Amino acid sequence: MSKVIFQTEIIELGEQVDAFFEEGMFVLFGENAPDALKDFCYFIDTKDVDGTIKPGNKLVIDNNEFLITAVGDIAQPNLEALGHLTVVFSGAKEAGLPGSICVEAKPMPKLLAGSKLSIVEDEE
């Protein structure tokens, strides 16, 4: 059994989102993204997280599952307060940025307006 602890969808794309695509990362933000980042963000509805985001959880993007390998110290508070999260497809065991999560090193899917994202926790 798995439990969905966070769920949202992409509502808008910044004009430069492809800039990070080559690096295998994307940036989510609620409606209050700083001007310097606006063009690089995927905008989402800010939602609460019902649980704790931790390694071993899965990030699900339009039915594609990615194992979460590392979670930065402020990733969850930023996600809850600002809708802000950086997702890096590196498989790293330590998050390089405090507001980021790392997932397994697989090709990053193309995110579109309407793409659904969730974080799920496997229940024992």
Side-chain angles (χ1 to χ4, degrees):
M1 276 301 289
S2 54
K3 171 189 168 191
V4 175
I5 60 173
F6 179 77
Q7 193 166 347
T8 190
E9 78 177 64
I10 305 289
I11 43 183
E12 195 183 333
L13 281 63
E15 291 172 16
Q16 307 282 319
V17 288
D18 289 342
F20 289 144
F21 190 82
E22 296 297 314
E23 295 178 43
M25 62 189 283
F26 65 83
V27 180
L28 300 176
F29 236 113
E31 53 211 32
N32 299 322
D35 288 341
L37 281 177
K38 272 194 169 123
D39 288 345
F40 300 100
C41 294
Y42 293 91
F43 293 93
I44 60 169
D45 281 330
T46 309
K47 301 263 188 353
D48 287 337
V49 179
D50 179 23
T52 303
I53 302 170
K54 57 188 182 291
N57 290 357
K58 290 190 185 83
L59 173 70
V60 184
I61 303 171
D62 292 333
N63 299 320
N64 296 307
E65 289 192 355
F66 301 90
L67 185 68
I68 296 174
T69 58
V71 178
D73 293 343
I74 60 171
Q76 183 160 339
N78 276 359
L79 183 59
E80 291 180 335
L82 306 167
H84 175 45
L85 184 67
T86 301
V87 178
V88 185
F89 289 76
S90 65
K93 299 286 180 230
E94 300 228 347
L97 302 162
S100 70
I101 64 171
C102 298
V103 299
E104 58 191 310
K106 284 185 179 172
M108 189 177 121
K110 196 85 171 146
L111 296 167
L112 305 165
S115 286
K116 300 204 178 325
L117 279 80
S118 55
I119 295 173
V120 297
E121 175 178 74
D122 285 331
E123 294 184 305
E124 310 264 323

